[in-house]
Structure formats: C-alpha cells, structure tokens
C-alpha cells in the first residue's frame, strides 16, 4: 500500500467596498486536506479540514473497498519548494492602502460610485508521499475587483475595474482606472469598418480552442481538432502554452497528481502547429499522449483531467506598435455568444471602448462581433503585446467582423 497527502491552505482577507469606502474587513483561513492510499490498482481517499489523523488514514483505507480504479505510476523521489510571493502586506497595511486608493479614485472621478471587493489571497499547496515526494508551493495575490456606477445611471452597475498582481501598485491602478472612466464618460460612434482590430483577453474568444485541446476529446475523436495533431492550423505568430510558471498567478507548479512540466510550461500550439492537448496520466496511458500536468479536481476528488492555465506567448511589439495609428476596439464585457463545430463564432458585446494610438478615448454602443477561429488566430492574428497596457495584463490583438 502506498500513501500520499495533498493539502491546500487559503488565507483570505476581504475588504468589502460600499459607497466608495471600505465598510468591513473579513479574514479567514481554511486548510483542506486529503489522505490518498493506493493498492491493487485502486485508490481510496479521505478528505477533511486540517492535518491528517489516524482516523483519516483509516477512512481512506476503508474507501479502497469502493474499487475506484487508479493504475498510474505515482511520483517518487522528487522534492521542490517554490515561494512566488513578492509583497507581503499585513491586514493594517492592506486596509490603509485600499482606503487611500479609494479616496484618491473618488477625488479624481467624483461622478462615479465604487463598490465590491479587494482581496488578499495567500495560497499554500503541498503534496507529500512515502517514497521521497515533497512538493510545496506558496503564492500571494492581490485582487482589486471594483465595480463602478455613474451617479446618474439607472443601472445596478455600469462596469468594472479589475487588476490582479503579486504587488500592490496604486499608481498603475489609478492611471488605468482613470483612463477607462474618462473614456466611459465620453460616448463614441462605432467605426464604419466591417472588420476591426480588437483588443481583448484570450478567455473571451479562446474557449472553442480550449475545448478542442482536451486530450480525451482528441483521443476519442470528438474534438474539433480530432486527427489534426501536427498540422499547422493557425498563424506562425501564435503559440499557446500550458503554463504552470510564475506568469500564471495562483497556479501551482504541480497538478493534483504531482505531475510537473520542464520549465513549468509546454506548448500546446507552437508557431501555429497543433502539438498536443491538455493531458493527465489517465489519458496519457490510454491514448499515448504526452502528460501536460493537467490533472484537476477538488482537494478530495480522484485526480481527473482538467485544463491547464494557458499563456498566449507575447511578441516583441507593444500594443501601440501592434495597432499603429488606426482605430481599434477594446473589449471589456462580452458574453452570450456561441461557436459552431466549424469554428464560426459570434457574440454580443455589452461594454467596449474605442482605442486611438493604443489609448481608450470613448465608450461604444452595444454591438456584436463574429469570426472564425482559424482566421482570427490565423491571417487575422496580430499578436500579444510585449507590454501590459491595461491593469497589468498583456493585450491580445486580432481582427474580427463588427456587426
């Protein structure tokens, strides 16, 4: 019988914001753990809060009788500790900085009311085994998730200001927030061009690609990319990594099975060529694919295929260089769309801004966007910015049809 312990501790400090002021502070810490035992090709798991006891191990052993199969080799003889935290503010410091930030934001943007939350998340994950396995990962992430509403607006809220970082940077947040709010106060006309450069996050348009990259779907032939491994499907400028590096905030360097990646990342799409899909040990064994450390699930689940955090590789040009002197569209909120098996996608856009010279200059009326993923990430793919122009995030730029 072999044994492992997986543990996750999250310490969260939440600052609740009402009427542009911090009105309460809540702090909690929870440790969730699971004892895992393996014998005769089966796994038994016992989940609990806190640290393991004899009763937890006994429960895990008893759960072997459920006959849950797990026949894959365990990680052994590997040790790594990684602390990715950068700036460690205590509760008092966090509160002082948040109150100062909100006061300055309110003075500079008196027409808006701000609400929602600011979070400080401390994350610790460990995985240990009897035969020399010892992994520990730590991170601290600050999340500024501030909703704004114009004082004359009848809406519940008009938009949001969102920033996530390992360091608290009031100046950068204020610069980008005021730039967005100034543009929000300036109505702009939608350009007449049928196709426009669009600046947005990969998550808003990349879901069909992510779904198609499932190793299980690729192996069973249900993926839109089935049978196309090794083919060049996209622009030579487009590379998409499965990423467990420090670039991905709050992402451990190991997955729920203890699998890791050389250099903490691996290309799924490289220079436009489909290389591999998200893969865990089960699908690697079943279909002969390469494991990409994509095992996920809750702390007390049997590890199963999930999705890696992904990173679209940045280029060498800034956003301004990618866009040139023409106009472009910055997408803030886009939801409610759909995509066909052929890769044709369309979605309404609820909130967007007009860009000139890489800067937002006005708020656009609602409209819709459409395109085909093979074109959007092919001939219409302009790249990912080398800089982080908006709220410490890189900008993905591609051309789409504006309706």
């Amino acid at each position: 019988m072999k044994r492992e312990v997986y543990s996750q501790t999250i310490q969260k400090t939440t600052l609740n914001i009402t009427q542009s002021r911090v009105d309460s502070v809540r702090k909690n810490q929870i440790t969730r753990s699971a004892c895992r035992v393996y014998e005769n090709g089966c796994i038994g798991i016992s989940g609990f809060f806190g640290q393991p006891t004899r009763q937890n191990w006994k429960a895990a052993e008893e759960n072997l009788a459920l006959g849950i199969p797990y026949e894959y080799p365990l990680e052994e003889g590997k040790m790594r500790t990684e602390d990715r935290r950068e700036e460690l503010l205590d509760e008092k410091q966090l509160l002082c900085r948040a109150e100062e930030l909100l006061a300055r934001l309110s003075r500079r943007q008196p027409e808006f009311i701000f609400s929602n939350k600011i979070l400080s998340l401390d994350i610790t994950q460990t995985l240990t085994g009897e035969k020399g396995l010892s992994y520990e990962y730590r991170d601290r992430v600050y999340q500024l998730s501030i909703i704004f509403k114009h004082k004359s607006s009848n809406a519940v809220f008009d938009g949001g200001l969102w920033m996530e970082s390992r360091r608290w940077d009031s100046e950068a947040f204020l610069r980008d927030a005021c730039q967005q709010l100034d543009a929000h106060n300036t109505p702009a006309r939608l350009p007449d061009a049928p196709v426009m450069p669009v600046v947005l996050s990969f998550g808003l348009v990349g879901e069909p690609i992510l779904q198609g990259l499932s190793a299980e779907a690729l192996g069973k032939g249900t993926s839109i990319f089935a049978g196309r491994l090794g083919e060049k499907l996209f622009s030579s400028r487009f590379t998409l990594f499965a990423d467990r590096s420090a670039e991905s905030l709050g992402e451990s360097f190991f997955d729920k099975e203890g699998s890791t990646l050389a250099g903490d990342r691996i290309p799924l799409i490289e220079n436009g060529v489909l290389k591999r899909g998200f893969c865990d040990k089960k699908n690697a064994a079943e279909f002969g694919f390469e494991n990409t450390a994509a095992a996920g699930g809750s702390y007390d689940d049997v590890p199963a295929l999930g999705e890696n955090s992904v990173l679209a590789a940045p280029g060498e040009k800034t956003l301004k260089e990618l866009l040139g002197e023409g106009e472009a569209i910055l997408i803030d909120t886009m939801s409610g769309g759909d995509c066909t098996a052929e890769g044709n996608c369309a979605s309404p856009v609820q909130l967007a801004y007009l860009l000139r010279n890489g800067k937002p200059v006005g708020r656009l009326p609602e409209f819709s966007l459409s395109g085909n993923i093979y074109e959007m990430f092919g001939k219409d793919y302009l790249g990912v910015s080398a800089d982080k122009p908006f709220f410490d995030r890189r900008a993905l730029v591609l051309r789409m049809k504006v309706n």
Side-chain angles (χ1 to χ4, degrees):
M1 183 181 296
K2 297 180 180 180
R3 302 168 182 258
E4 286 181 342
V5 178
Y6 174 82
S7 181
Q8 180 186 71
T9 299
I10 297 180
Q11 180 177 305
K12 180 190 297 185
T13 302
T14 305
L15 310 183
N16 293 302
I17 303 167
T18 304
Q19 293 294 316
S20 305
R21 298 173 62 90
V22 177
D23 69 359
S24 65
V25 180
R26 187 173 70 253
K27 188 173 183 178
N28 62 4
Q29 178 175 311
I30 299 177
T31 297
R32 297 179 174 91
S33 304
C35 292
R36 303 175 183 170
V37 294
Y38 305 86
E39 190 174 51
N40 299 325
C42 292
I43 183 173
I45 299 179
S46 172
F48 49 91
F49 294 102
Q51 301 303 318
T53 65
R54 184 177 300 176
Q55 287 73 22
N56 299 133
W57 285 113
K58 182 180 179 182
E61 292 172 9
E62 291 173 349
N63 286 336
L64 282 170
L66 298 174
I68 300 172
Y70 192 91
E71 304 174 345
Y72 317 109
L74 304 184
E75 304 301 317
E76 299 178 351
K78 297 179 179 179
M79 300 180 67
R80 180 176 171 185
T81 299
E82 182 140 353
D83 189 341
R84 293 177 177 171
R85 297 175 300 170
E86 294 184 14
E87 185 172 18
L88 303 179
L89 302 178
D90 61 27
E91 183 179 329
K92 183 178 180 180
Q93 291 171 321
L94 180 66
L95 179 58
C96 287
R97 295 201 187 186
E99 289 179 330
E100 179 193 22
L101 174 66
L102 289 169
R104 294 175 64 187
L105 184 59
S106 295
R107 286 195 300 268
R108 294 174 64 175
Q109 299 291 334
E111 297 178 45
F112 292 93
I113 300 170
F114 304 100
S115 60
N116 208 31
K117 302 178 186 299
I118 293 176
L119 301 178
S120 171
L121 294 174
D122 248 306
I123 305 165
T124 302
Q125 294 180 13
T126 62
L127 181 62
T128 58
E130 292 179 325
K131 295 193 175 182
L133 176 66
S134 179
Y135 285 155
E136 181 179 5
Y137 157 80
R138 299 198 68 180
D139 213 342
R140 164 78 71 90
V141 178
Y142 300 104
Q143 295 178 349
L144 287 76
S145 180
I146 299 177
I147 291 172
F148 64 83
K149 175 185 180 299
H150 197 278
K151 291 180 178 178
S152 66
S153 172
N154 293 322
V156 176
F157 66 91
D158 293 322
L161 309 168
W162 186 81
M163 186 173 184
E164 186 176 44
S165 179
R166 292 190 177 95
R167 301 192 66 83
W168 184 279
D169 192 339
S170 295
E171 298 303 324
F173 183 84
L174 284 168
R175 179 195 65 227
D176 294 342
C178 290
Q179 183 175 252
Q180 179 176 336
L181 293 170
D182 287 342
H184 195 88
N185 259 345
T186 309
R189 292 181 60 186
L190 192 66
D192 292 332
V195 177
M196 290 283 296
V198 176
V199 179
L200 71 178
S201 67
F202 180 78
L204 289 177
V205 289
E207 189 60 30
I209 293 177
L210 298 182
Q211 291 177 356
L213 288 172
S214 162
E216 183 175 22
L218 286 166
K220 292 181 178 179
T222 59
S223 164
I224 61 172
F225 302 136
R228 307 193 70 179
L229 284 172
E231 287 188 31
K232 190 173 188 302
L233 304 179
F234 306 105
S235 167
S236 298
R237 297 188 299 275
F238 181 50
T239 293
L240 186 70
F241 289 105
D243 188 59
R244 290 189 170 274
S245 74
E247 187 84 9
S248 292
L249 303 180
E251 181 75 14
S252 170
F253 64 85
F254 61 92
D255 72 358
K256 290 296 192 300
E257 294 179 308
S259 299
T260 60
L261 300 172
D264 291 331
R265 64 175 49 155
I266 188 171
L268 305 172
I269 299 168
E270 187 173 24
N271 300 326
V273 177
L274 180 62
K275 291 288 190 177
R276 53 186 65 82
F278 301 116
C279 193
D280 60 351
K281 290 182 178 181
K282 177 180 182 295
N283 286 280
E286 184 173 352
F287 300 114
F289 294 151
E290 187 174 1
N291 185 0
T292 68
S298 183
Y299 72 101
D300 56 351
D301 285 342
V302 177
L305 181 64
E307 283 185 1
N308 292 97
S309 175
V310 295
L311 172 70
E316 298 179 353
K317 294 182 178 181
T318 65
L319 175 61
K320 187 174 180 179
E321 290 170 335
L322 286 172
L323 295 178
E325 297 182 357
E327 293 182 330
I329 296 174
L330 171 64
I331 304 299
D332 182 284
T333 306
M334 183 173 82
S335 63
D338 200 2
C339 192
T340 69
E342 293 76 28
N344 296 314
C345 303
S347 176
V349 176
Q350 289 78 27
L351 180 58
Y353 300 96
L354 182 67
L355 295 178
R356 290 196 187 105
N357 297 318
K359 302 293 184 182
V361 295
R363 173 171 47 90
L364 295 170
E366 293 189 14
F367 60 98
S368 63
L369 289 174
S370 62
N372 181 282
I373 60 169
Y374 298 105
E375 295 177 354
M376 290 155 50
F377 291 91
K379 65 181 181 63
D380 291 330
Y381 183 75
L382 298 181
V384 175
S385 66
D387 60 339
K388 297 180 178 181
F390 307 119
F391 296 105
D392 201 32
R393 298 192 294 272
R394 300 188 194 278
L396 170 70
V397 188
L398 38 81
R399 296 186 186 91
M400 294 186 71
K401 297 175 183 177
V402 180
N403 307 304

